[in-house]
Each structure stands twice: as C-alpha cells, then as structure tokens.
Amino acid sequence: MAKVKKETGVTGERNAKGKAARGSQRGKAKTAKRRPTKGAAKRSGGAKRGGKRVTTARKRSGKAAKGSKGAGKRALAVVRGRVAEPPVVRVAVKPLDPLRKCGPNTTVQFLYRVDEQVDGRSTPHLVFFDRHGWYCEHGRTCPAVGHARKYDGQIARVS
C-alpha cells in the first residue's frame, strides 16, 4: 500500500517524528514475511532433499483470530508430516417425558437429553420441540438439535 502524506493539522507539522522516536522503534520493528530470493537460497546452502526445497513453519507472533484458535496446530501437524486426526464424537439420545420434566401446562411436545462426548469430554444437552420449534438449552444452532431431530425422524425442515 502506498504511503499517503497527511495534511498539516493544528501543529503545522506533517507526520513528523523526531530521530529519538524513530530510534526507539528500530528494536521493535515488525518483521514482514518475505519470500527468500534465489541468491539467498544459494548463500544459505538451501536445504534440499530429492530435488525439493524443505521449508519450515514459522510461529506467528501476536494474537490469532477468534475462529482460528486450533487452526495453526493442525496446519503445523500437516507440515511436519503427521495427519491431524478428526475428533472422536459419540452421541447418546435419550427421550424424556415432557409432562414430568416441564409440568402439566407445558407446550413442549418432545424433550430429549443428548449426551455428547468429544474426545472424552462429556457435554449434556436438553433439546426441546414446542411451538417455537427445535432448540437446545445452548441455542438453536447447537449440534445436539440435529441429533435429536435425527433420532425423532424429523430431518426435513418444517416450514
């Protein structure tokens, strides 16, 4: 991105930094990702195996994005030659009596307890079906809702 000069403000100076300010920034400069040049590969010896250049994964500095917490570990595992294993998911769906659990004046038609185990970690869910539709105590987008609907046989979307 091209640098744009800012217009002068109240002080009359434009993007002015003293030498002292620039000197303190030198030690903390961010390193940019650069592709090694052909000359750099020759100088460093360019580790090669079977005609292919071997590259190593670098650890990124700073905070990762919210959605990519474990993405770096999976990518690193692939780079090192290991294949990341998918998590082991076990689901047990148990139908419950909505009248006993929710009371005699309830509008709940179906009630399920879904026990979900992901890599040995157990999470219980209560999935309801009433005039508001299918939902879990954790929200409508909880994966337990899909398991309960599948158990009930109502996979098709009701509209």
Side-chain angles (χ1 to χ4, degrees):
M1 178 179 237
K3 292 187 179 180
V4 178
K5 292 183 180 179
K6 294 182 182 177
E7 294 186 29
T8 59
V10 178
T11 60
E13 295 181 6
R14 179 179 56 191
N15 270 351
K17 288 188 179 178
K19 286 185 179 180
R22 274 185 263 147
S24 66
Q25 291 288 357
R26 282 193 182 142
K28 299 177 184 177
K30 292 183 180 179
T31 57
K33 283 191 173 183
R34 294 182 184 166
R35 190 185 303 171
T37 60
K38 291 179 184 177
K42 288 178 184 176
R43 285 191 299 269
S44 64
K48 290 187 177 185
R49 289 184 188 166
K52 293 182 181 178
R53 174 179 278 169
V54 178
T55 59
T56 58
R58 290 186 185 173
K59 188 175 181 182
R60 289 185 183 174
S61 61
K63 292 185 178 180
K66 244 184 184 179
S68 63
K69 272 189 175 178
K73 291 182 181 179
R74 285 191 300 265
L76 190 58
V78 172
V79 168
R80 290 184 179 164
R82 295 186 310 247
V83 177
E85 297 176 10
V88 178
V89 179
R90 290 189 181 130
V91 178
V93 181
K94 180 181 175 185
L96 301 174
D97 185 16
L99 293 175
R100 286 183 64 198
K101 296 290 180 185
C102 303
N105 295 330
T106 185
T107 60
V108 176
Q109 297 174 19
F110 301 111
L111 177 63
Y112 294 98
R113 178 188 169 100
V114 179
D115 291 317
E116 183 181 34
Q117 281 191 335
V118 179
D119 287 337
R121 192 182 73 222
S122 181
T123 309
H125 302 267
L126 284 176
V127 180
F128 303 87
F129 177 72
D130 62 2
R131 61 185 174 185
H132 303 293
W134 287 97
Y135 59 94
C136 175
E137 59 188 338
H138 303 118
R140 290 186 179 278
T141 59
C142 182
V145 174
H147 295 299
R149 287 181 66 182
K150 186 176 181 180
Y151 179 87
D152 192 52
Q154 296 190 12
I155 301 290
R157 186 164 182 244
V158 180
S159 55

